[in-house]
């Protein structure tokens, strides 16, 4: 818009005039304002709000949407209609502090390998980052054991004289049991009855 001052004046001399109230002028009052510069302004970049920083820790990025809009912001144009060199950034670096270090995570202990007497049981031990991804950065000195000794309760019922004393077929190491003097242990004595007889 452009504007101008409109006054009601009366000449009282060759170079003198006085201002009167608007009601004293009987002719149509000229306009004081009119529209101007009617051509549309060029499209412009409009940036929306930044997103949160991702990931939640360590170095990351914030993102935002930048649109090419009409000067009245009512229309959205293809990006090519706005000047590329004046486009605001759509991504910036950010950080929300250091991430927790990777740590050793253990599973539950499995079953004891021996049905009777001493055996071993295993569990999984993994080095995982805070996001649950596999990592190789856990200190090896703090690695929990993945195997431990266990003992299952043996059946203490003595072998009846009517039962045949024999080595259990599935056990192939009875000579070693005898060699390493394990016959004193209930489990091995039961599994290798024939070999351990008299020892």
């Amino acid at each position: 818009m452009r504007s101008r001052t409109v006054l009601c004046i009366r000449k009282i001399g060759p170079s003198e005039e006085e201002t009167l109230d608007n009601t004293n002028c009987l002719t149509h009052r000229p306009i004081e304002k009119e529209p101007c510069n009617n051509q549309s302004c060029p499209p412009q970049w409009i940036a929306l709000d930044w997103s949160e920083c991702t990931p939640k820790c360590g170095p990351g990025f914030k993102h935002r949407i930048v649109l090419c809009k009409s000067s009245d912001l009512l229309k959205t144009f293809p990006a090519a209609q706005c000047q590329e060199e004046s486009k605001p950034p759509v991504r910036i670096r950010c950080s929300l502090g250091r991430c927790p270090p990777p740590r050793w995570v253990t599973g539950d202990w499995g079953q004891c390998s021996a049905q009777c007497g001493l055996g071993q049981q295993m569990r999984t031990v993994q080095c995982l980052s805070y996001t649950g991804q596999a990592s190789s950065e856990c200190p090896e000195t703090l690695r929990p054991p993945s195997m431990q000794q266990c003992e299952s309760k043996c059946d203490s019922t003595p072998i009846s004289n009517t039962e045949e004393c024999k080595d259990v077929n599935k056990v192939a190491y009875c000579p070693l049991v005898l060699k390493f003097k394990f016959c004193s242990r209930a489990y091995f004595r039961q599994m290798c009855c024939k070999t351990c007889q008299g020892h």
Side-chain angles (χ1 to χ4, degrees), residues 113-148:
S113 61
Q115 293 179 340
C116 171
L118 292 176
Q120 292 176 333
Q121 56 187 165
M122 312 282 287
R123 66 176 176 182
T124 57
V125 177
Q126 293 177 288
C127 177
L128 299 179
S129 69
Y130 80 102
T131 58
Q133 303 294 313
S135 173
S136 58
E137 296 179 13
C138 296
E140 200 61 36
T141 53
L142 299 179
R143 183 187 178 101
S146 58
M147 182 174 68
Q148 72 175 4

Side-chain angles (χ1 to χ4, degrees), residues 5-24:
T5 303
V6 177
L7 299 173
C8 180
I9 58 172
R10 177 172 61 186
K11 281 189 175 291
I12 55 175
S15 58
E16 232 182 315
E17 53 189 29
E18 64 177 344
T19 304
L20 303 175
D21 189 75
N22 289 343
T23 56
N24 291 302

Side-chain angles (χ1 to χ4, degrees), residues 100-120:
R103 62 189 182 94
W104 292 110
V105 177
T106 58
D108 294 332
W109 287 109
Q111 278 192 319
C112 193
S113 61
Q115 293 179 340
C116 171
L118 292 176
Q120 292 176 333

Side-chain angles (χ1 to χ4, degrees), residues 9-184:
I9 58 172
R10 177 172 61 186
K11 281 189 175 291
I12 55 175
S15 58
E16 232 182 315
E17 53 189 29
E18 64 177 344
T19 304
L20 303 175
D21 189 75
N22 289 343
T23 56
N24 291 302
C25 285
L26 301 177
T27 58
H28 178 71
R29 188 169 189 263
I31 60 171
E32 288 181 275
K33 290 183 180 181
E34 69 175 2
C36 58
N37 197 21
N38 291 325
Q39 68 272 24
S40 296
C41 293
Q44 58 186 323
W45 293 112
I46 298 295
L48 305 185
D49 292 337
W50 288 107
S51 69
E52 290 186 1
C53 188
T54 52
K56 295 293 184 186
C57 64
F61 289 96
K62 286 182 177 181
H63 298 82
R64 67 178 174 182
I65 296 171
V66 176
L67 300 171
C68 181
K69 303 281 284 185
S70 60
S71 56
D72 58 7
L73 306 182
L74 296 177
K75 294 178 182 175
T76 302
F77 296 113
Q81 294 196 28
C82 285
Q83 292 186 337
E84 184 62 33
E85 58 269 20
S86 64
K87 184 177 182 179
V90 296
R91 186 175 82 158
I92 57 170
R93 292 185 179 276
C94 59
S95 178
L96 293 176
R98 292 186 63 185
C99 294
R103 62 189 182 94
W104 292 110
V105 177
T106 58
D108 294 332
W109 287 109
Q111 278 192 319
C112 193
S113 61
Q115 293 179 340
C116 171
L118 292 176
Q120 292 176 333
Q121 56 187 165
M122 312 282 287
R123 66 176 176 182
T124 57
V125 177
Q126 293 177 288
C127 177
L128 299 179
S129 69
Y130 80 102
T131 58
Q133 303 294 313
S135 173
S136 58
E137 296 179 13
C138 296
E140 200 61 36
T141 53
L142 299 179
R143 183 187 178 101
S146 58
M147 182 174 68
Q148 72 175 4
Q149 201 173 47
C150 57
E151 187 171 6
S152 299
K153 217 170 185 182
C154 294
D155 185 3
S156 57
T157 309
I159 297 175
S160 163
N161 291 335
T162 58
E163 290 181 356
E164 186 185 353
C165 178
K166 60 180 181 178
D167 294 343
V168 177
N169 289 336
K170 65 180 179 179
V171 179
Y173 54 84
C174 288
L176 294 176
V177 169
L178 181 61
K179 180 179 178 183
F180 291 108
K181 299 180 180 177
F182 285 167
C183 286
S184 58

